[in-house]
């Protein structure tokens, strides 16, 4: 599938569902005399290299020829200031309760008018890397922020005549994506910035925010919404495929930034098996075929685990919110590991993964919900499809430094983030239905991974990755998860649940109660916009009944 950039004249009218007032405001801005088009990564690199605030390191970029960059390209660094993460509080989704479309249209009109006195660059990319799913997107932003345009064109696939998969795709009645950005915008009513998403008309504006992740996630928000409307499951997670002598095993890991999904997806397992990596952050699953398509070629990765001498560093192309220092050869090099601030980031090219693929035709064998719920052991298998969907819809985790949390919300607080996707802009019940059908119709297995703490002990990456290896190799013997017969767990020495411990059973009940309270609250929040089917509540109540009965038996 592909989107529409050029419309037939007879279809350009107010009855065309691709158009809206907000889209007209945003798209029109792209054609101003103050906007210059950037058509190559070589040009984008030169502009970013010479932009104010850019630091040109002495570290060479690898695979410059394949990336379309100058042979002598260096890693570029840009830092944003105090805000180094996404600001969820700035997002306004058109169509949701309490969001006045006319009000935000007026705000955007003023923002575009004011920006008309500045010089902008624009560039185009493809979101989705196979004919089965791909769309064209366009970004414009002030010339002073050309470093973010360069990073954007690297993160996605720059649109050019050599991208054959787009030409081979089938057109759908959806307009291209348009994203207007002005980091210098300010408004007294929006001190933390403003992100307006008109997902039904494939456009967005990012105002008063410098962090590159806002551009990436606004684009993915629009692409996921469009994919959802056209027969795909939107996935904020990582996918990889193990190629064993007897079989292939395709797994998807869903989790928030910092949960471990990139670690899980990109792990090589000491090269025991050939592994194909689709992506560690964004993909879609075709509901009819079960196949999967990556949305981005590059990786927007945290740098907290990679010191300068790490092999990972040589695949960095740009870095954001990291330090720079001089080495013993007087060369400017990266100071990573979050020394400067939390959530240091980099764009790493696709070549960091040995066997990178953009499309997998095989169905998904297993979905792993990554949580940081200390009532769960490291690995649980959920054997009931409906419960698997419910636990995905009530995924319990913790925020990370990737988010600029407004207010007094603690990053250590356990929160519910359905399907690990805070970028959904359609009713939650629709994702619930999609994943339920995946578990039922395609017989996809479901596992829960706790990558936080259990019984006061840290669950290490080694615990998680070794367990996944056993599952892939079909070398697991799970045990029933106490009184919850629809669940089994993988025993790991030192991290075993104690079903004779009243305190543990009480903690488990409290965690289920937290999920139940979330489901019940969705009936009323935003006029029930994210209400789940009644069976979700019934399943959680049944789990609580089973735990209560079991607890009573221990007491008596």
């Amino acid at each position: 599938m592909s989107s529409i950039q050029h419309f037939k004249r007879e279809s350009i009218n107010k009855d065309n569902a691709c158009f809206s007032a907000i889209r007209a405001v945003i798209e029109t801005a792209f054609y101003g005399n103050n906007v210059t088009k950037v058509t190559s990564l070589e040009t984008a690199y030169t502009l970013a290299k010479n932009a104010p605030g850019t630091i040109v390191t002495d570290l060479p970029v690898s695979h410059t020829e394949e990336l379309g960059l100058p042979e002598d390209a260096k890693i570029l660094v840009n830092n944003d200031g105090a805000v180094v993460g996404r600001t969820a509080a700035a997002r306004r989704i058109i169509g949701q309760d309490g969001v006045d479309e006319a009000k935000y249209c007026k705000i955007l009109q003023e923002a575009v008018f004011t920006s008309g006195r500045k010089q902008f660059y624009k560039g185009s990319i493809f979101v989705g890397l196979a004919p089965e799913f791909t769309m064209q997107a366009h970004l414009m932003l002030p010339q002073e922020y050309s470093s973010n345009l360069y990073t954007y064109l690297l993160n996605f696939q720059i649109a050019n005549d050599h991208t054959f998969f787009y030409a081979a795709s089938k057109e759908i009645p959806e307009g291209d994506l348009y994203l207007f950005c002005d980091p210098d915008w300010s408004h007294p009513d929006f001190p933390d910035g403003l992100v307006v998403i008109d997902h039904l008309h494939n456009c967005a504006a990012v105002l008063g925010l410098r962090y590159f992740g806002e551009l990436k996630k606004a684009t993915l928000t629009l692409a996921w919404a469009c994919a959802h409307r056209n027969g795909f499951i939107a996935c904020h997670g990582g996918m990889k495929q193990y190629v064993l002598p007897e079989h292939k095993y395709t797994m998807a890991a869903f989790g928030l930034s910092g949960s471990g999904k990139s670690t899980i997806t990109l792990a090589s397992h000491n090269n025991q098996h050939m592994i194909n990596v689709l992506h560690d952050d964004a993909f879609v699953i075709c509901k009819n075929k079960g196949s999967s398509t990556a949305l981005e070629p590059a990786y927007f990765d945290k740098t907290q685990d990679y010191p300068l001498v790490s092999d990972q560093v040589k695949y960095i192309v740009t870095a954001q919110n990291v330090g720079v220092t001089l080495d013993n050869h007087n060369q400017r090099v990266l100071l990573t590991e979050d020394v400067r601030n939390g959530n240091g980031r980099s764009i790493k090219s696709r070549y960091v993964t040995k066997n990178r693929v953009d499309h997998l035709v095989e169905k998904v064998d297993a979905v792993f919900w990554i949580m940081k719920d200390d009532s769960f052991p490291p690995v649980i298998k959920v054997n009931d499809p409906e419960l698997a969907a419910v636990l995905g819809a009530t995924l319990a985790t913790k925020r990370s430094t990737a988010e600029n949390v407004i207010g007094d919300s603690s990053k250590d607080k356990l929160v519910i983030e359905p399907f690990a996707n805070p970028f959904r802009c359609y009713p939650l019940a629709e994702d619930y239905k999609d994943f339920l059908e995946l578990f039922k119709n395609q017989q996809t297995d479901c596992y829960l991974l706790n990558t936080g703490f259990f019984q006061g002990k840290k669950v290490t990456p080694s615990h998680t990755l070794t367990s996944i290896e056993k599952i892939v190799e079909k070398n697991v013997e799970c045990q029933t998860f106490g009184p919850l017969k629809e669940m089994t767990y993988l025993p790991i020495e030192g991290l075993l649940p104690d079903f004779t411990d009243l305190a543990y059973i009480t903690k488990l009940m409290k965690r289920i109660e937290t999920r139940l309270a979330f489901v019940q609250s969705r009936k009323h929040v935003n006029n029930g916009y994210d209400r789940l089917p009644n069976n979700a509540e019934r399943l959680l109540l049944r789990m609580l009944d089973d735990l209560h009965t079991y607890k009573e038996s221990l007491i008596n």
Side-chain angles (χ1 to χ4, degrees):
M1 54 178 280
S2 58
S3 50
I4 304 170
Q5 181 180 15
H6 302 102
F7 294 87
K8 294 179 180 179
R9 289 198 172 191
E10 57 268 27
S11 71
I12 301 177
N13 54 60
K14 63 183 177 61
D15 297 323
N16 189 326
C18 290
F19 299 132
S20 70
I22 287 178
R23 183 185 175 92
V25 170
I26 291 174
E27 183 184 350
T28 301
F30 279 74
Y31 310 122
N33 289 334
N34 62 320
V35 184
T36 302
K37 187 172 185 179
V38 177
T39 59
S40 73
L41 277 170
E42 188 169 3
T43 300
Y45 171 78
T46 301
L47 294 172
K49 176 183 176 183
N50 296 322
T54 295
I55 300 166
V56 183
T57 72
D58 292 305
L59 299 171
V61 172
S62 300
H63 298 277
T64 51
E65 182 178 356
E66 297 94 324
L67 292 171
L69 294 174
E71 185 178 355
D72 62 348
K74 299 295 192 291
I75 296 174
L76 304 184
V77 174
N78 289 89
N79 294 321
D80 296 325
V83 177
V84 293
R86 283 182 287 102
T87 305
R91 290 167 71 92
R92 302 292 187 275
I93 309 298
I94 301 300
Q96 291 191 353
D97 189 56
V99 179
D100 186 337
E101 181 174 357
K103 170 186 172 181
Y104 288 102
C105 188
K106 290 291 185 184
I107 290 172
L108 292 179
Q109 287 172 342
E110 282 297 314
V112 168
F113 174 80
T114 303
S115 71
R117 305 302 185 263
K118 297 193 294 186
Q119 295 300 306
F120 277 66
Y121 290 128
K122 66 179 178 180
S124 302
I125 55 96
F126 296 130
V127 192
L129 304 178
E132 189 168 283
F133 180 83
T134 182
M135 301 186 73
Q136 188 165 202
H138 312 276
L139 168 69
M140 65 176 284
L141 79 181
Q143 287 187 357
E144 292 81 5
Y145 295 91
S146 57
S147 57
N148 266 354
L149 176 64
Y150 173 53
T151 295
Y152 188 80
L153 298 178
L154 286 166
N155 182 81
F156 294 101
Q157 172 64 54
I158 188 170
N160 56 46
D161 295 335
H162 304 294
T163 315
F164 300 113
F165 66 80
Y166 192 78
S169 61
K170 181 180 178 181
E171 187 177 273
I172 58 169
E174 297 272 1
D176 281 3
L177 313 181
Y178 284 88
L179 185 60
F180 175 86
C181 174
D182 186 357
D184 296 327
W185 177 89
S186 64
H187 192 291
D189 294 342
F190 303 96
D192 300 307
L194 177 64
V195 180
V196 178
I197 306 282
D198 184 358
H199 62 101
L200 293 177
H201 302 97
N202 296 338
C203 60
V206 178
L207 304 173
L209 294 159
R210 308 181 195 116
Y211 178 60
F212 169 74
E214 300 286 2
L215 305 181
K216 169 183 159 76
K217 292 306 186 186
T219 303
L220 291 174
T221 296
L222 295 175
W224 275 322
C226 185
H228 172 73
R229 291 194 295 271
N230 288 276
F232 293 83
I233 303 175
C235 299
H236 179 224
M239 176 174 281
K240 67 197 299 186
Q241 182 184 75
Y242 297 79
V243 182
L244 284 76
E246 301 83 10
H247 67 283
K248 294 179 179 179
Y249 190 92
T250 305
M251 62 162 285
F254 294 78
L256 288 185
S257 178
S259 66
K261 73 176 185 296
S262 292
T263 300
I264 291 168
T265 306
L266 302 178
S268 65
H269 299 273
N270 295 318
N271 298 312
Q272 294 181 66
H273 307 295
M274 177 180 171
I275 296 173
N276 296 320
V277 174
L278 187 76
H279 201 260
D280 73 334
D281 187 60
F283 62 96
V284 295
I285 300 171
C286 179
K287 290 196 284 187
N288 290 335
K289 300 178 182 178
S291 50
S292 302
T293 302
L295 299 187
E296 310 161 288
Y299 306 97
F300 185 48
D301 258 5
K302 287 174 172 284
T303 59
Q304 65 182 12
D305 297 324
Y306 306 131
L308 178 62
V309 294
S310 168
D311 285 341
Q312 297 287 313
V313 171
K314 68 182 180 182
Y315 297 101
I316 292 176
V317 189
T318 68
Q320 299 78 35
N321 302 313
V322 302
V324 173
T325 190
L326 297 174
D327 69 5
N328 56 333
H329 301 290
N330 198 39
Q331 292 192 324
R332 285 165 290 191
V333 296
L334 300 178
L335 176 62
T336 54
E337 300 180 284
D338 283 1
V339 172
R340 181 185 185 272
N341 48 259
N343 199 41
R345 290 276 178 163
S346 69
I347 292 291
K348 292 194 295 191
S349 75
R350 64 182 297 132
Y351 301 103
V352 71
T353 45
K354 184 179 179 182
N355 297 309
R356 173 61 196 272
V357 296
D358 296 326
H359 185 72
L360 289 170
V361 298
E362 293 84 3
K363 78 176 188 69
V364 185
D365 290 294
V367 162
F368 292 74
W369 303 131
I370 307 175
M371 308 200 186
K372 292 200 172 182
D373 181 343
D374 62 358
S375 71
F376 285 162
V379 183
I380 291 177
K381 185 177 183 184
V382 184
N383 298 305
D384 175 68
E386 292 194 66
L387 183 57
V390 170
L391 291 172
T394 58
L395 190 147
T397 187
K398 294 181 180 180
R399 304 294 183 195
S400 75
T401 55
E403 298 175 72
N404 174 38
V405 179
I406 304 300
D408 58 1
S409 180
S410 170
K411 289 185 173 68
D412 291 324
K413 181 182 177 182
L414 202 66
V415 296
I416 303 294
E417 192 59 76
F419 305 109
N421 190 354
F423 313 106
R424 180 186 309 97
C425 49
Y426 48 84
L428 174 58
E430 296 179 14
D431 264 356
Y432 175 85
K433 178 176 179 289
D434 286 347
F435 281 104
L436 178 58
E437 289 177 354
L438 186 72
F439 294 127
K440 275 188 172 181
N441 300 342
Q442 297 191 27
Q443 298 182 320
T444 298
D445 289 336
C446 177
Y447 291 88
L448 313 181
L449 297 178
N450 173 14
T451 58
F453 286 81
F454 183 67
Q455 306 289 44
K457 299 177 183 177
K458 180 71 177 81
V459 180
T460 66
S462 177
H463 290 134
T464 302
L465 296 174
T466 300
S467 298
I468 291 173
E469 288 171 15
K470 291 179 179 179
I471 292 168
V472 170
E473 295 167 356
K474 301 181 179 178
N475 183 30
V476 290
E477 291 186 13
C478 292
Q479 297 180 12
T480 303
F481 192 55
L484 303 178
K485 306 302 181 185
E486 302 89 352
M487 303 163 70
T488 56
Y489 71 97
L490 180 62
I492 297 175
E493 187 176 353
L495 294 167
L496 299 173
D498 183 358
F499 293 107
T500 66
D501 182 357
L502 279 172
Y504 173 67
I505 300 300
T506 300
K507 175 186 285 189
L508 193 54
M509 291 177 69
K510 286 182 177 178
R511 295 289 185 267
I512 302 302
E513 287 169 354
T514 297
R515 290 173 168 83
L516 177 63
F518 173 82
V519 170
Q520 291 173 336
S521 71
R522 297 308 97 178
K523 297 178 184 179
H524 313 292
V525 174
N526 291 333
N527 287 327
Y529 186 82
D530 282 330
R531 178 175 183 146
L532 287 167
N534 292 334
N535 199 47
E537 183 177 357
R538 284 197 293 266
L539 281 172
L540 292 172
L541 284 170
R542 190 178 72 192
M543 291 177 74
L544 282 173
D545 284 343
D546 290 342
L547 287 168
H548 179 74
T549 301
Y550 182 79
K551 183 178 178 181
E552 289 296 312
S553 70
L554 290 179
I555 295 172
N556 297 329

